[in-house]
Amino acid sequence: LVKVPIIKGTVPHEQYGKYSGGSVLIKPAVSGTGVLAGGAMRAVLESAGITDVLAKSLGSSNPHNVVKATIDALANMRDAYTVAQTRGVDLNKVFNG
């Protein structure tokens, strides 16, 4: 299982994912955009509970590689709260430097 940070229905930041020949790009989107992704990637993003996202498959079109690359991208995402805990600083310090 992978914990995916979701903020207001979208992902917190842009993220690349790669597995074998497949690579994907996932970007946050404004509310009401929907899931703009193709086939295998759409299924993974919707099952994760993401409602607004822009996604593009950049490498192989093999669905197995695209799914694993999407999961890799989602697994590597971090929200501001996680970054603050990892660094051991206040949440305001993360945003304001």
Side-chain angles (χ1 to χ4, degrees), residues 47-73:
S47 66
I50 299 171
T51 57
D52 302 303
V53 69
L54 302 171
K56 180 72 178 166
S57 176
L58 302 172
S60 169
S61 61
N62 181 348
H64 296 283
N65 290 341
V66 172
V67 166
K68 290 183 179 182
T70 305
I71 293 170
D72 176 58

Side-chain angles (χ1 to χ4, degrees), residues 33-54:
T33 303
V35 179
L36 297 180
M41 218 181 333
R42 174 184 292 271
V44 173
L45 294 170
E46 286 179 348
S47 66
I50 299 171
T51 57
D52 302 303
V53 69
L54 302 171

